[in-house]
Amino acid sequence: MPEAGLVPQVELTEAEEAERRERFPAGAAIEFADLEEQGRVGALDRLRETEPVSWVPALGGWLVTSYPLGRNVLARTDDFSVWAEPNLVRASLGVMMLTSDPPEHERERSPFDEPFRMRSVRERFEERVAARVERLLQALAPQGSCELGADFAAPFAIGVAGDILGLSLDDVPKIQDFYEAFAGAMTYDGDPEPQRRADAARAAFNEILLAELARARREPDGSITSAVVNDEATKLGDEEIAAQLRVILFGAIETVESMVMNAVLLLLQHPDQLAEVREDPNLVPNAVEEGMRLIPPVAFIERWTSRPTEIGDVELGRGEFVGVSTLAANRDPETFEDPLLFDIHRKNARHHLAFSFGVHHCLGFNMARLQGPIAVQAIFDRLPGLELLEAPEPHGFAFRRPADLHLRWRA
């Protein structure tokens, strides 16, 4: 699709900027470092209490921290668009389903919908996921210690993504480098270097993906990618399919890696609840959901107003940048009782916004909900006496997890 009709971001006059700063003093006082806050209580929670929709100059736009208002923004495709020139996800990963509005969005996403439905996911991939976990833990178990991200979560997420899509992703460090470059470009600090790295990574990865598509066409193997490229009804060219695979892989890798690390960290930090999980494995899925609520892997989602509209009692013109903080929304006490507590019994944990909401709801959420519990339960089953050695507090503005998670157990 030609890049026409992109929503331009509005530019404010000095007077308009001053008026917004005066009207929203809490948002005006926030610095970018506050948006990457560490710890359970911080600037975003305080902002939600006073200005749930606020003008934040450090972000260059509006920030929504309320759960119902954030959910509402994500649901309203008539008023809010992702097809915008300054969309950093688009700049990093390229034009694809996550950066397109309906009806183009449906054209790009629909070929991949059916394989990611829950019944299909469980029937086709549950055994493969369990086998991948077993192989990784069998190699790790005798070592007695690890850094969970590099030694398990990343190769697990990348390996399963390759398994389900039918892609050769054996060079884990190279794939990690690509996606670290993509994530690094989704920042708001004005440094152009991350974007240059993302452009180079996208070009290099595109060559790999196009070669994989050619192989899938020559040698059909029943994988998701093979099914899409060999389906005559698919209305996507190879470049477009490669673009969709880039974003599907981004979710499959970034989200799953963080989901596993965050859940393991929280359970180790709450030994009483870990004991319950060990006693009753049926609690594991909700424990993983609660981990995603409290530490969402994707902590920020961006939109632009496509026409004059309102969020709560705040009026916005066309071309306004609006960010939804899933981190703050998932800790809204109006929706989640005692939201700063980790509670594996929380009845509405699955209502979190970590998978987004509306038409851009994560395509692979069923796959993630299959992978997370299998991996987390196996980690605690196969690594006896597992304990936390060191882990920095999870942080990050757009993506959130501990930088490292060092563990040890009885080898």
Side-chain angles (χ1 to χ4, degrees):
M1 175 179 178
E3 296 191 9
L6 288 168
V7 176
Q9 186 164 336
V10 67
E11 294 187 12
L12 301 180
T13 65
E14 289 186 8
E16 289 170 330
E17 174 75 25
E19 187 276 330
R20 291 186 179 187
R21 286 175 178 269
E22 182 177 359
R23 182 181 174 190
F24 301 96
I30 283 185
E31 298 180 358
F32 190 79
D34 297 323
L35 300 175
E36 299 181 294
E37 66 186 25
Q38 300 186 22
R40 294 288 176 86
V41 182
L44 290 172
D45 297 296
R46 293 189 291 272
L47 186 64
R48 187 187 56 242
E49 294 171 4
T50 57
E51 297 170 9
V53 180
S54 183
W55 175 253
V56 180
L59 195 59
W62 300 93
L63 186 61
V64 181
T65 49
S66 152
Y67 179 91
L69 293 178
R71 192 172 185 265
N72 182 259
V73 167
L74 298 176
R76 290 161 59 188
T77 56
D78 289 341
D79 298 322
F80 296 94
S81 173
V82 294
W83 187 242
E85 182 64 39
N87 187 330
L88 293 179
V89 177
R90 172 179 166 274
S92 176
L93 284 169
V95 175
M96 38 70 190
M97 66 178 79
L98 197 59
T99 62
S100 298
D101 293 330
E104 178 66 8
H105 170 266
E106 283 83 358
R107 186 183 75 87
E108 294 171 334
R109 176 168 168 146
S110 60
F112 299 91
D113 269 336
E114 181 58 36
F116 284 102
R117 299 187 188 282
M118 177 53 83
R119 180 175 179 179
S120 178
V121 160
R122 291 205 172 274
E123 289 178 352
R124 297 182 63 183
F125 305 125
E126 188 166 11
E127 290 184 4
R128 295 191 199 182
V129 171
R132 175 72 63 169
V133 169
E134 175 62 23
R135 288 196 298 274
L136 287 168
L137 291 179
Q138 191 172 38
L140 267 185
Q143 298 179 19
S145 66
C146 77
E147 193 287 293
L148 189 67
D151 295 334
F152 178 85
F156 168 65
I158 293 172
V160 170
D163 290 343
I164 65 174
L165 291 172
L167 302 174
S168 300
L169 303 178
D170 297 330
D171 192 341
V172 171
K174 178 185 287 187
I175 302 300
Q176 281 184 289
D177 287 346
F178 288 155
Y179 280 96
E180 285 174 6
F182 295 147
M186 298 177 203
T187 182
Y188 292 80
D189 61 8
D191 181 1
E193 182 57 29
Q195 183 61 54
R196 284 194 288 267
R197 287 197 294 266
D199 291 342
R202 190 170 63 252
F205 196 25
N206 206 49
E207 289 187 16
I208 294 173
L209 290 174
L210 290 175
E212 288 289 301
L213 296 186
R215 180 187 59 80
R217 188 169 283 111
R218 290 192 311 269
E219 306 166 10
D221 59 7
S223 68
I224 290 176
T225 298
S226 178
V228 170
V229 299
N230 290 295
D231 184 355
E232 294 181 359
T234 299
K235 299 178 181 179
L236 299 176
D238 280 6
E239 290 281 352
E240 291 178 307
I241 294 173
Q244 313 318 314
L245 291 175
R246 276 198 305 273
V247 72
I248 292 170
L249 284 165
F250 189 87
I253 294 169
E254 182 69 32
T255 300
V256 170
E257 182 178 353
S258 299
M259 173 179 61
V260 171
M261 293 178 70
N262 292 342
V264 170
L265 173 64
L266 286 166
L267 285 167
L268 289 171
Q269 290 176 332
H270 297 81
D272 55 334
Q273 297 191 65
L274 174 57
E276 289 189 71
V277 167
R278 289 184 182 278
E279 184 69 24
D280 183 3
N282 291 322
L283 295 173
V284 173
N286 206 60
V288 174
E289 296 286 349
E290 175 68 347
M292 295 195 73
R293 181 197 68 82
L294 192 57
I295 314 175
V298 178
F300 178 80
I301 302 172
E302 54 189 14
R303 294 288 187 269
W304 285 261
T305 54
S306 53
R307 62 188 182 186
T309 188
E310 295 182 356
I311 308 175
D313 60 355
V314 178
E315 295 183 1
L316 288 77
R318 182 175 184 265
E320 300 267 16
F321 176 41
V322 180
V324 176
S325 171
T326 57
L327 175 66
N330 285 352
R331 303 191 303 196
D332 190 337
E334 295 299 315
T335 300
F336 302 101
E337 186 177 356
D338 293 326
L340 301 182
L341 297 180
F342 176 66
D343 180 5
I344 62 173
H345 299 289
R346 190 179 298 277
K347 289 184 171 55
N348 65 343
R350 286 171 63 96
H351 294 176
H352 61 74
L353 296 179
F355 292 123
S356 190
F357 187 75
V359 298
H360 291 290
H361 189 253
C362 175
L363 174 69
F365 77 98
N366 285 320
M367 193 70 214
R369 281 175 163 156
L370 173 71
Q371 289 174 256
I374 291 175
V376 170
Q377 182 174 340
I379 286 169
F380 286 104
D381 285 348
R382 292 296 309 275
L383 306 179
L386 188 66
E387 60 180 343
L388 180 63
L389 284 180
E390 180 186 2
E393 186 71 23
H395 69 283
F397 170 55
F399 307 102
R400 200 167 183 88
R401 65 167 181 251
D404 303 290
L405 188 55
H406 293 275
L407 309 175
R408 71 180 176 191
W409 58 90
R410 296 190 304 274

